[in-house]
Amino acid sequence: MHTFLHRWGVFVALRRHPDRARRLHELEAAVADAPSIEDARRASAQIGVLLDTARREVAG
């Protein structure tokens, strides 16, 4: 149950701010449509930054 609540908290934290939610969507599309693995990795790294921020908000 704790894991579910944590993941739900991260989900909400990512979507609570419209700009952040929009950026996440853009990055997910960029990964899916990346012309090279390097482009996909760059977009994935930016997704990681968003996730880390959301996790800190949930933990804080």
Side-chain angles (χ1 to χ4, degrees):
M1 185 61 146
H2 183 265
T3 300
F4 170 78
L5 291 175
H6 177 75
R7 288 184 181 185
W8 181 253
V10 171
F11 177 87
V12 170
L14 283 169
R15 287 154 181 86
R16 179 180 330 171
H17 306 284
D19 290 340
R20 186 187 297 169
R22 184 173 32 260
R23 183 67 180 145
L24 176 62
H25 180 72
E26 290 168 357
L27 290 169
E28 289 171 337
V31 169
D33 299 332
S36 70
I37 192 71
E38 291 82 18
D39 291 333
R41 285 182 178 149
R42 277 191 290 276
S44 293
Q46 292 178 38
I47 290 172
V49 171
L50 289 176
L51 287 170
D52 288 342
T53 301
R55 285 186 190 115
R56 281 193 302 275
E57 288 177 10
V58 170

